[in-house]
Amino acid sequence: MGKKKVAVLGASGYTGSDLLRFLLVHPNVEVTHLTAEKHAGKMISDVFPHLKGFLDLELKPLKSKSIPKDIDIVFAALPHGTSAQVISELFERDIKIIDLGADFRLSSKNYKKWYGEHPCPELIKKAVYGLTELNRDKVKKAKLVANPGCYPTSSILGLAPVLKNKIADQASIIIDSKSGVSGAGRSPSLDYHYCEVNEGLKAYKIGEHRHMPEIEEALSNYSGLKVQVSFTPHLIPMDRGILSTIYVNLNKRVTTKKLLDIYQEYYKDEKFVRISPEKLYPSTNQVRGSNYCDIGIKVNSNNTAVIVSVIDNLVKGASGQAVQNMNVMMGYEETTALEMPPVFP
Amino acid sequence: MGKKKVAVLGASGYTGSDLLRFLLVHPNVEVTHLTAEKHAGKMISDVFPHLKGFLDLELKPLKSKSIPKDIDIVFAALPHGTSAQVISELFERDIKIIDLGADFRLSSKNYKKWYGEHPCPELIKKAVYGLTELNRDKVKKAKLVANPGCYPTSSILGLAPVLKNKIADQASIIIDSKSGVSGAGRSPSLDYHYCEVNEGLKAYKIGEHRHMPEIEEALSNYSGLKVQVSFTPHLIPMDRGILSTIYVNLNKRVTTKKLLDIYQEYYKDEKFVRISPEKLYPSTNQVRGSNYCDIGIKVNSNNTAVIVSVIDNLVKGASGQAVQNMNVMMGYEETTALEMPPVFP
Amino acid sequence: MGKKKVAVLGASGYTGSDLLRFLLVHPNVEVTHLTAEKHAGKMISDVFPHLKGFLDLELKPLKSKSIPKDIDIVFAALPHGTSAQVISELFERDIKIIDLGADFRLSSKNYKKWYGEHPCPELIKKAVYGLTELNRDKVKKAKLVANPGCYPTSSILGLAPVLKNKIADQASIIIDSKSGVSGAGRSPSLDYHYCEVNEGLKAYKIGEHRHMPEIEEALSNYSGLKVQVSFTPHLIPMDRGILSTIYVNLNKRVTTKKLLDIYQEYYKDEKFVRISPEKLYPSTNQVRGSNYCDIGIKVNSNNTAVIVSVIDNLVKGASGQAVQNMNVMMGYEETTALEMPPVFP
Amino acid sequence: MGKKKVAVLGASGYTGSDLLRFLLVHPNVEVTHLTAEKHAGKMISDVFPHLKGFLDLELKPLKSKSIPKDIDIVFAALPHGTSAQVISELFERDIKIIDLGADFRLSSKNYKKWYGEHPCPELIKKAVYGLTELNRDKVKKAKLVANPGCYPTSSILGLAPVLKNKIADQASIIIDSKSGVSGAGRSPSLDYHYCEVNEGLKAYKIGEHRHMPEIEEALSNYSGLKVQVSFTPHLIPMDRGILSTIYVNLNKRVTTKKLLDIYQEYYKDEKFVRISPEKLYPSTNQVRGSNYCDIGIKVNSNNTAVIVSVIDNLVKGASGQAVQNMNVMMGYEETTALEMPPVFP
């Protein structure tokens, strides 16, 4: 059986580029179609010199009709709104779709509140929220997967075990997240101009970031509880990595050791989640370039659990998890193309 | 009247070096004695090439007896324990002492719990905790000032207004602090080796850092409340800067605007504290190299106040505040030698 | 006598900002007029939050006629072409002008070749090239000073002694320069987007950078020789600093020690040039934030001299040297407002 | 046929770690023995948390006798001297050896001059210098390969085409190299302490670095010319990457375009060398994490060729090239385990 043909829509951003890093070494697929708006007409290696010699494709403008009929799998790394529009036009085709944007992550009600009018709200219910470790069985059967946001991935993996075990107060959770700059994308602006970011550190969109309702909705759906979080994102002077420090009031006395056991048990069959030993807390640089989520835990003397969850925002927080979802959807080994150890240093 | 003579004990670290940056341009003092253990015998410009041409002094070994009799002011930037020992030997002299270490920041009971046996517990009560903005009147009359830690300075300045106004729950405060690497000092170790730190981000000593009792004790003393905090420090890949994100449950409904007014009023006479406009949150790079503490605030819809407080850890968090304290103790204009704007970028 | 009134044209860039850092603590001047095109109408502290509390001025649009009549000194940090135009309109006033742009650095012939038509070529001859250490006497009497470029400042200070002493082959000089990112200014573009620059290193405009003719012309004028250089600039992932590694074929055998003596002698009366001891070579971080140029030297066994010259590109390479020039032009102590030690780390 | 068994001697450094990154996904080999002195007794994942879950091996002390008899391939990433000693003891076994240290890179005469007495000079002649692209046929038959240094790899690949084509003056070559900090290894010292290196840039060991004779000897052997270089290494504040800017006087007039053609032709069959288009010069971040060497070229108007050569110092400059050499020695596809695109950003 030949390789499946893959299209990447929005290939000139960092998410698109990291998708290619994995897809180009994936034994079951071949990338045959790329789109990019600003850079249409250029070769992918003009836009990303690091890919020279890997892929000899021209970037095409984004039109659903010009996406070749023989495409089997579509990855969309597009602005919200645009993504839903294109996906709705492709939906009748016999393909698998993984949307790395925000259009299918929220209920239509929440979407309207946080993003505005949805172009095709009827499609939302057909999408599966692709936090693979939590929704694997649904992802298997999905035609359309909504790949989670980067902050939500680190937060949800850090919180799922305590919420599922009902040992946390779900209404007073605080998530203090720190992200490298690649999460802001590749469009130049003063906010991400080198000297504005370098050697500095700041919070932004406190209590107003669109990933907050995504975290609340996904965790509420998963746990059956009404989860509420205070979410504060920060920008860190580094390329890749998210670290979420999560504060949870435990509703019964649990030692650090016991809580670590609960997490070990919860994730015991998961290849991409690793629990740090007691007293050790993970650094983002130990997952760099990889699809891992590493989690460390401390229960303070006041019975607050502090959960530290790290990922590479471009990999487990975007492209790597998208490939993981593709593997599950297509029946490939889940780790295919994602096997390499993290890049340290 | 001639210039006062200053000794810096422990001059070969980053705190010592930044002290010199300010003292060398201070019109009322001259630096005449420097000590350093490992580097004793070297010139200060051998240890710090950036100081070449500024100061022609040899680093002496640390012995209280060999500190010249004509010294008027002593800054101690020494390991805890060592500091108290030397200060106790100097205490009978007619001098002013500013200790940048931890030996006189805590009550003797707390000191014993967190640091161990104190060499001269009877001196602790004679020291004033030098968070200048809160204790200015006591600092004025002090012979011995305990200069606050870097994390405590950012945390206490961020929390003082809500605690003094009794609008916060003092028992459920969460402080999520992020520090640049210079806070860890100048002694080489794998933890601060360039490639271990760069492009990474991690939490450490969760709920166990010695600055936690310092924050609790200083704020309890100041507010008359029993303040309890969950404190998590993080290491950020940059040289200078601390950002503390502080989560406080308000005990009555207050808007962001109203809370900003409270902070503006509280700090209205303070030269070194600046309150950011609504919706703007400070970056550490806007205080770099300076003695400023900048504070931004957001009240979330669940009535949690998020207070963001930034300082340069080596300046307001150490050497700058020490000079500010010296200015107050000696009756100089409080801002002397600290007037230059921050270094941005 | 009252303070002199200063205008800064182009105050919203990094050069403008660093000018203010020095001018705001200068005892002889006060800043009373600021212009900025894109940001006209905003307060300077809106554009530069680090300056909050220092200067309560609105940014005005750039029009020579609206520059107040009582201005005594003008600093122009404007795009080339624009700068010459405005300066020509101001030239009849009784003021001192320091142009931080390129319009008055080159002969009219070279200007035309490298930049295009000059708006007022007749003014070029009235300008003095403000490499202070080389042209101090001319700067003293100048009405208009052309402040040197950043690469040229580090290169010329590194080369002046060997050329003046006629011990180098002036036709085969190689200058390999490395600059921090602030040299590229504050306008967002993909080239200086954080993740494009960070953790990377590249050469650009090899043999084509406009600072090459500036170096050749300034050194030829100064030495009376026809100086020719191969110039390669590189972009380094850091905010501030230029390091130029200069390769010179010596025309007679000179030891490293002897060459260091020549440099020591040549710069013995200069406050802002420091020569490193044998076997030590300066790092840019030992001049950060300051007006220093530090120089280290090695003569290789094949009689090639390797001269390493470091400056802070925004200070000695722009704003600091501009203030130094102002001090000389106005008869102030040359080091006024430039006395603080470098900021390390 | 089963997988070949591999030992990595000196597995706790950055070179060892990056070797494992490739070996652990190599289909033909399995890593079964690791040594490390300081960390002996620990698990590899204690020393490198990023490898948790990949390899369940304890680090053993280094003794040639305790290296299991069933080992087929040995990689030595050891201090010089130690390496030769161990390799001499293993040499009679039926194994392949790749030495990543300096012990077999130089002639015995040069080794003595630059490193001191060699423990087993008679073995030097049996080693092949493993710059794979230049010596592939010899590597194929080698039992012992001396893996090149990082600076030499970038320099030699940049210079081989002009020297082989005899269009350059081989006696006046200047190599100005810039390296990320991982090249200095993982042992803590003040020189590589975070705040000493960050936001700074310096030259070191000018004209005295041990990689200089390696470059000269390897290029002389390869070209049949007596090659002489002035070599200046610099330390850059980033983890990975070397960029060498090479200045060559051409002995006949050649355009940039023509010279690019010569390089294209020279490397046309090489998978791991890429030539940049005219006017574009490679950044180190476009080869990060990969085994590529990217080369850009400009011929200046004075007929100096400026050749810019970038590699990842830990990959093509160490571990990647070692795996490439293993692949050639063992008859595997040369690119095995090295196929993934670079990690950008």
Side-chain angles (χ1 to χ4, degrees):
Chain A
M1 194 182 76
K3 292 184 174 189
K4 295 294 180 183
K5 289 188 180 351
V6 168
V8 176
L9 313 182
S12 64
Y14 295 138
T15 300
S17 155
D18 235 31
L19 263 174
L20 294 176
R21 189 160 68 92
F22 298 112
L23 295 173
L24 290 172
V25 294
H26 197 293
N28 302 116
V29 307
E30 65 179 322
V31 178
T32 60
H33 189 74
L34 301 175
T35 81
E37 284 311 274
K38 266 183 301 189
H39 298 288
K42 293 185 190 165
M43 302 301 289
I44 182 70
S45 63
D46 293 337
V47 173
F48 285 122
H50 72 284
L51 292 177
K52 187 172 176 184
F54 283 90
L55 189 61
D56 203 29
L57 282 182
E58 189 186 306
L59 295 164
K60 304 288 185 186
L62 176 66
K63 285 176 198 160
S64 60
K65 287 186 186 161
S66 58
I67 295 171
K69 300 298 174 200
D70 63 354
I71 290 292
D72 301 294
I73 305 164
V74 168
F75 291 90
L78 299 169
H80 65 86
T82 305
S83 195
Q85 188 58 48
V86 172
I87 287 170
S88 73
E89 293 165 20
L90 293 171
F91 199 77
E92 293 312 311
R93 296 197 193 178
D94 180 20
I95 56 177
K96 301 284 189 181
I97 305 169
I98 295 147
D99 182 24
L100 289 95
D103 282 351
F104 299 99
R105 295 175 187 161
L106 295 182
S107 68
S108 55
K109 190 179 153 196
N110 248 341
Y111 189 91
K112 193 167 181 178
K113 178 176 170 192
W114 288 87
Y115 291 88
E117 210 62 54
H118 195 285
C120 48
E122 69 287 355
L123 265 191
I124 291 178
K125 290 214 170 129
K126 305 200 172 161
V128 169
Y129 188 71
L131 203 309
T132 332
E133 282 74 11
L134 273 57
N135 286 346
R136 185 173 285 115
D137 289 342
K138 291 183 187 158
V139 170
K140 257 180 210 161
K141 301 171 206 151
K143 177 186 181 70
L144 168 59
V145 162
N147 211 59
C150 49
Y151 287 124
T153 296
S154 73
S155 302
I156 293 167
L157 288 171
L159 280 163
V162 282
L163 291 172
K164 201 68 175 184
N165 282 280
K166 304 211 185 299
I167 53 176
D169 174 21
Q170 74 276 6
S172 64
I173 295 167
I174 286 172
I175 303 175
D176 189 284
S177 286
K178 299 92 176 165
S179 174
V181 186
S182 62
R186 209 187 185 198
S187 296
S189 81
L190 186 59
D191 281 351
Y192 311 111
H193 192 58
Y194 185 82
C195 294
E196 303 292 312
V197 170
N198 190 40
E199 293 291 300
L201 169 61
K202 65 175 181 184
Y204 65 101
K205 292 189 187 166
I206 302 179
E208 300 178 329
H209 195 285
R210 285 159 166 173
H211 283 178
M212 190 170 70
E214 182 182 338
I215 295 168
E216 290 179 339
E217 197 179 306
L219 281 171
S220 296
N221 288 344
Y222 177 66
S223 68
L225 304 166
K226 185 164 166 37
V227 176
Q228 280 182 297
V229 305
S230 281
F231 177 67
T232 307
H234 301 75
L235 191 68
I236 304 293
M238 61 183 193
D239 284 339
R240 289 170 177 253
I242 281 181
L243 182 148
S244 292
T245 312
I246 306 169
Y247 300 87
V248 173
N249 292 310
L250 298 177
N251 54 27
K252 61 173 193 176
R253 188 67 209 167
V254 180
T255 63
T256 300
K257 194 175 173 323
K258 173 68 182 159
L259 195 54
L260 283 167
D261 288 346
I262 290 171
Y263 274 69
Q264 286 283 11
E265 173 64 21
Y266 186 87
Y267 286 122
K268 68 173 189 290
D269 298 326
E270 294 301 337
K271 171 73 182 173
F272 292 121
V273 182
R274 304 185 291 196
I275 309 301
S276 297
E278 193 171 356
K279 298 225 171 231
L280 291 182
Y281 311 109
S283 168
T284 58
N285 63 20
Q286 73 189 48
V287 298
R288 185 165 47 216
S290 83
N291 201 46
Y292 281 86
C293 175
D294 283 6
I295 297 174
I297 291 170
K298 173 75 191 296
V299 181
N300 282 342
S301 53
N302 62 357
N303 217 27
T304 303
V306 185
I307 303 155
V308 177
S309 168
V310 304
I311 59 169
D312 182 321
N313 58 302
L314 291 180
V315 187
K316 185 61 181 170
S319 306
Q321 186 156 241
V323 171
Q324 184 183 2
N325 280 323
M326 176 190 79
N327 288 339
V328 173
M329 293 162 92
M330 301 298 292
Y332 307 145
E333 182 65 38
E334 190 170 325
T335 56
T336 312
L338 301 167
E339 300 95 343
M340 260 194 112
V343 181
F344 174 83
Chain B
M1 195 182 73
K3 292 185 176 188
K4 295 293 181 186
K5 290 190 180 349
V6 168
V8 176
L9 314 183
S12 64
Y14 296 138
T15 299
S17 155
D18 236 31
L19 263 175
L20 294 177
R21 190 161 65 90
F22 298 113
L23 294 173
L24 290 172
V25 295
H26 197 294
N28 304 116
V29 307
E30 62 179 324
V31 178
T32 59
H33 189 74
L34 301 176
T35 80
E37 285 311 274
K38 265 181 302 187
H39 298 288
K42 294 185 189 165
M43 302 302 289
I44 181 70
S45 63
D46 293 336
V47 173
F48 285 123
H50 72 284
L51 291 178
K52 188 174 176 182
F54 282 91
L55 189 61
D56 203 30
L57 282 182
E58 189 186 305
L59 295 164
K60 304 288 184 187
L62 176 66
K63 286 177 200 161
S64 60
K65 286 186 186 162
S66 58
I67 295 172
K69 300 297 175 201
D70 63 354
I71 290 292
D72 301 294
I73 304 164
V74 168
F75 291 90
L78 299 168
H80 66 86
T82 306
S83 196
Q85 188 58 47
V86 173
I87 287 171
S88 73
E89 292 165 21
L90 293 172
F91 199 76
E92 293 312 310
R93 295 199 194 176
D94 180 22
I95 54 175
K96 301 283 189 182
I97 305 168
I98 295 147
D99 182 25
L100 290 94
D103 282 350
F104 299 99
R105 294 175 187 161
L106 294 182
S107 68
S108 55
K109 189 178 153 197
N110 248 340
Y111 189 90
K112 192 166 180 178
K113 178 175 171 191
W114 288 87
Y115 290 88
E117 210 62 53
H118 195 284
C120 47
E122 68 288 356
L123 266 192
I124 293 179
K125 290 217 170 126
K126 304 200 172 161
V128 169
Y129 188 71
L131 203 309
T132 332
E133 283 74 12
L134 273 58
N135 284 347
R136 186 173 286 115
D137 289 343
K138 290 182 188 158
V139 171
K140 258 182 211 161
K141 302 171 206 149
K143 176 186 180 72
L144 168 58
V145 162
N147 212 57
C150 50
Y151 287 125
T153 296
S154 73
S155 301
I156 293 168
L157 289 171
L159 280 163
V162 283
L163 291 173
K164 200 69 175 183
N165 282 279
K166 304 211 185 299
I167 53 177
D169 174 20
Q170 74 275 9
S172 64
I173 295 168
I174 286 172
I175 303 176
D176 189 284
S177 287
K178 299 92 176 165
S179 174
V181 186
S182 62
R186 208 186 185 200
S187 295
S189 81
L190 186 59
D191 281 351
Y192 310 111
H193 193 59
Y194 185 83
C195 295
E196 302 292 311
V197 171
N198 191 39
E199 293 291 300
L201 169 62
K202 65 173 179 185
Y204 65 101
K205 292 188 187 165
I206 301 179
E208 300 178 329
H209 195 286
R210 287 161 165 172
H211 283 178
M212 191 170 70
E214 182 182 337
I215 296 168
E216 290 179 339
E217 196 179 305
L219 281 171
S220 296
N221 288 344
Y222 178 67
S223 69
L225 303 166
K226 183 163 167 40
V227 176
Q228 280 182 296
V229 305
S230 281
F231 177 66
T232 307
H234 299 76
L235 191 68
I236 305 293
M238 60 185 193
D239 284 337
R240 288 170 177 254
I242 280 181
L243 183 148
S244 292
T245 312
I246 306 169
Y247 299 87
V248 173
N249 292 311
L250 298 177
N251 54 27
K252 62 174 193 174
R253 188 68 207 165
V254 179
T255 62
T256 299
K257 195 175 173 325
K258 173 66 182 159
L259 195 54
L260 282 167
D261 288 346
I262 290 171
Y263 274 68
Q264 285 284 10
E265 174 62 22
Y266 186 88
Y267 286 121
K268 69 172 187 291
D269 297 326
E270 295 301 337
K271 171 72 183 174
F272 292 122
V273 181
R274 303 185 293 195
I275 309 301
S276 296
E278 193 170 355
K279 299 226 172 230
L280 291 182
Y281 311 109
S283 168
T284 57
N285 63 20
Q286 74 188 45
V287 298
R288 185 165 48 216
S290 83
N291 201 46
Y292 281 86
C293 175
D294 283 6
I295 297 174
I297 292 170
K298 173 75 191 297
V299 181
N300 282 343
S301 53
N302 62 357
N303 216 28
T304 302
V306 185
I307 302 156
V308 177
S309 169
V310 303
I311 59 169
D312 182 321
N313 58 303
L314 290 181
V315 188
K316 184 62 179 168
S319 306
Q321 186 155 242
V323 171
Q324 184 183 2
N325 280 324
M326 176 190 77
N327 288 338
V328 172
M329 294 163 91
M330 301 298 293
Y332 308 145
E333 181 65 37
E334 189 170 326
T335 56
T336 311
L338 302 167
E339 301 95 341
M340 262 195 109
V343 181
F344 174 83
Chain C
M1 194 182 74
K3 290 184 175 189
K4 295 294 180 183
K5 289 189 179 351
V6 167
V8 175
L9 313 183
S12 63
Y14 295 137
T15 298
S17 155
D18 235 30
L19 263 174
L20 294 176
R21 189 160 66 91
F22 298 112
L23 294 173
L24 290 171
V25 294
H26 197 294
N28 303 116
V29 306
E30 63 178 324
V31 177
T32 60
H33 188 75
L34 300 176
T35 80
E37 285 311 273
K38 266 182 300 187
H39 298 288
K42 293 185 190 164
M43 302 301 289
I44 182 70
S45 63
D46 294 338
V47 173
F48 285 122
H50 72 284
L51 291 178
K52 187 173 177 182
F54 282 91
L55 188 61
D56 203 30
L57 282 181
E58 189 186 305
L59 295 164
K60 305 289 184 185
L62 176 67
K63 285 177 199 160
S64 59
K65 287 187 184 159
S66 57
I67 295 172
K69 299 298 175 201
D70 63 355
I71 290 292
D72 300 295
I73 305 164
V74 168
F75 290 90
L78 300 168
H80 67 86
T82 305
S83 197
Q85 187 59 48
V86 172
I87 286 170
S88 72
E89 292 165 22
L90 293 171
F91 199 76
E92 294 312 311
R93 296 198 193 177
D94 180 20
I95 55 176
K96 301 283 188 182
I97 305 168
I98 294 147
D99 182 25
L100 288 95
D103 282 351
F104 298 100
R105 294 175 188 161
L106 295 182
S107 68
S108 56
K109 189 178 153 196
N110 248 341
Y111 188 92
K112 193 166 180 178
K113 180 176 169 190
W114 288 87
Y115 290 88
E117 209 63 54
H118 196 285
C120 48
E122 69 287 356
L123 266 192
I124 292 179
K125 291 215 170 126
K126 304 201 171 159
V128 169
Y129 188 71
L131 203 309
T132 331
E133 283 75 12
L134 274 58
N135 286 346
R136 186 174 285 116
D137 288 342
K138 290 183 188 158
V139 170
K140 258 181 209 162
K141 302 172 206 150
K143 177 186 180 71
L144 168 58
V145 161
N147 212 57
C150 49
Y151 287 125
T153 295
S154 73
S155 302
I156 292 168
L157 288 171
L159 281 163
V162 282
L163 291 172
K164 200 67 173 186
N165 282 280
K166 303 210 185 301
I167 53 176
D169 174 21
Q170 74 274 7
S172 64
I173 295 167
I174 286 172
I175 303 175
D176 189 284
S177 286
K178 300 92 176 166
S179 175
V181 187
S182 62
R186 209 186 184 199
S187 296
S189 81
L190 186 59
D191 281 351
Y192 311 111
H193 192 58
Y194 185 82
C195 295
E196 303 291 312
V197 170
N198 191 40
E199 292 292 300
L201 169 62
K202 66 173 178 184
Y204 65 100
K205 291 190 188 165
I206 301 178
E208 299 178 330
H209 195 285
R210 286 159 165 173
H211 282 179
M212 189 170 70
E214 182 182 337
I215 295 167
E216 291 179 339
E217 197 179 307
L219 282 171
S220 296
N221 288 344
Y222 178 67
S223 68
L225 304 166
K226 184 163 167 38
V227 175
Q228 279 182 298
V229 306
S230 282
F231 177 67
T232 306
H234 299 76
L235 191 68
I236 305 293
M238 62 183 191
D239 285 337
R240 289 170 177 253
I242 281 181
L243 184 149
S244 292
T245 312
I246 306 170
Y247 299 87
V248 173
N249 292 310
L250 298 177
N251 54 28
K252 61 174 192 174
R253 189 65 210 168
V254 180
T255 62
T256 299
K257 196 175 172 324
K258 172 69 183 159
L259 195 54
L260 282 167
D261 288 344
I262 290 171
Y263 274 69
Q264 285 284 12
E265 173 64 22
Y266 185 88
Y267 286 122
K268 69 172 187 292
D269 297 326
E270 295 301 338
K271 172 72 182 172
F272 292 122
V273 182
R274 303 185 293 196
I275 309 301
S276 296
E278 194 170 354
K279 297 226 173 230
L280 292 182
Y281 312 108
S283 168
T284 58
N285 64 19
Q286 73 188 45
V287 298
R288 185 165 48 216
S290 82
N291 202 47
Y292 282 86
C293 175
D294 283 5
I295 297 174
I297 292 170
K298 174 75 189 300
V299 181
N300 282 342
S301 54
N302 62 357
N303 217 27
T304 303
V306 184
I307 302 155
V308 177
S309 168
V310 304
I311 59 170
D312 183 321
N313 58 301
L314 290 180
V315 188
K316 185 60 182 169
S319 305
Q321 186 155 242
V323 171
Q324 184 183 1
N325 280 324
M326 177 190 78
N327 288 339
V328 173
M329 293 163 91
M330 302 297 293
Y332 307 145
E333 181 66 36
E334 190 170 325
T335 56
T336 312
L338 301 168
E339 299 96 342
M340 261 194 111
V343 181
F344 174 82
Chain D
M1 195 182 74
K3 291 185 175 190
K4 295 293 181 185
K5 290 190 179 351
V6 168
V8 175
L9 313 183
S12 64
Y14 295 137
T15 299
S17 156
D18 235 32
L19 262 174
L20 294 176
R21 190 160 65 91
F22 299 112
L23 294 173
L24 290 172
V25 295
H26 196 295
N28 303 116
V29 307
E30 63 179 323
V31 177
T32 60
H33 188 74
L34 301 177
T35 80
E37 285 310 274
K38 266 181 301 189
H39 298 287
K42 294 185 189 164
M43 301 301 289
I44 182 72
S45 64
D46 294 336
V47 174
F48 285 122
H50 72 284
L51 291 178
K52 188 174 175 182
F54 282 91
L55 189 60
D56 203 30
L57 281 182
E58 189 187 305
L59 295 164
K60 304 289 185 186
L62 176 66
K63 286 177 200 160
S64 58
K65 286 185 186 161
S66 59
I67 295 171
K69 299 299 176 200
D70 63 353
I71 291 292
D72 300 294
I73 304 164
V74 168
F75 290 90
L78 298 169
H80 65 87
T82 306
S83 197
Q85 187 59 48
V86 173
I87 287 170
S88 73
E89 292 165 21
L90 293 171
F91 199 77
E92 293 312 310
R93 296 199 193 176
D94 180 22
I95 54 177
K96 300 284 188 180
I97 305 169
I98 295 147
D99 182 25
L100 289 94
D103 282 351
F104 300 99
R105 294 175 187 161
L106 294 182
S107 67
S108 55
K109 189 178 151 196
N110 249 340
Y111 188 91
K112 193 166 180 179
K113 178 176 170 191
W114 288 87
Y115 291 86
E117 209 63 52
H118 195 287
C120 48
E122 69 287 355
L123 265 192
I124 291 180
K125 290 215 170 127
K126 304 200 173 162
V128 169
Y129 188 71
L131 202 309
T132 332
E133 283 75 11
L134 273 58
N135 286 346
R136 185 174 287 115
D137 288 343
K138 290 182 189 158
V139 170
K140 258 181 211 163
K141 301 171 208 150
K143 176 185 182 72
L144 168 58
V145 161
N147 212 57
C150 50
Y151 288 124
T153 296
S154 73
S155 302
I156 293 168
L157 288 171
L159 280 163
V162 283
L163 291 172
K164 201 68 175 184
N165 282 279
K166 304 209 185 300
I167 53 176
D169 174 21
Q170 74 275 8
S172 64
I173 295 167
I174 286 172
I175 303 175
D176 190 283
S177 285
K178 298 93 176 166
S179 175
V181 186
S182 62
R186 208 186 185 199
S187 295
S189 81
L190 186 59
D191 281 351
Y192 311 111
H193 193 58
Y194 185 82
C195 295
E196 303 291 311
V197 170
N198 191 39
E199 293 291 299
L201 169 62
K202 66 174 179 184
Y204 65 101
K205 291 188 188 166
I206 302 178
E208 300 177 329
H209 195 286
R210 286 160 166 173
H211 282 177
M212 190 170 70
E214 182 181 337
I215 295 168
E216 290 179 340
E217 196 178 309
L219 282 171
S220 296
N221 288 344
Y222 178 67
S223 68
L225 304 166
K226 183 163 168 36
V227 176
Q228 281 182 297
V229 306
S230 282
F231 177 66
T232 307
H234 300 75
L235 191 68
I236 304 293
M238 60 183 194
D239 284 338
R240 288 170 178 254
I242 281 182
L243 183 148
S244 293
T245 311
I246 306 169
Y247 298 88
V248 173
N249 293 310
L250 298 178
N251 54 28
K252 61 173 194 175
R253 188 67 208 165
V254 180
T255 62
T256 300
K257 195 176 174 322
K258 174 66 182 160
L259 194 54
L260 283 167
D261 288 346
I262 290 171
Y263 274 67
Q264 286 284 9
E265 173 63 21
Y266 186 87
Y267 286 122
K268 69 173 188 291
D269 297 326
E270 295 301 336
K271 172 72 183 174
F272 291 122
V273 182
R274 304 184 292 195
I275 309 301
S276 296
E278 192 170 356
K279 300 224 171 232
L280 292 181
Y281 311 108
S283 168
T284 58
N285 63 19
Q286 74 189 45
V287 298
R288 185 166 47 218
S290 83
N291 201 46
Y292 282 86
C293 174
D294 283 5
I295 297 174
I297 292 169
K298 174 75 190 299
V299 181
N300 282 342
S301 54
N302 62 356
N303 217 28
T304 303
V306 185
I307 302 155
V308 177
S309 169
V310 303
I311 59 170
D312 182 321
N313 57 301
L314 291 180
V315 188
K316 185 61 180 168
S319 305
Q321 186 155 243
V323 171
Q324 184 183 3
N325 280 324
M326 176 190 78
N327 288 339
V328 172
M329 292 163 91
M330 301 298 292
Y332 306 146
E333 181 66 36
E334 188 171 326
T335 57
T336 311
L338 301 168
E339 301 96 342
M340 261 195 111
V343 181
F344 174 84

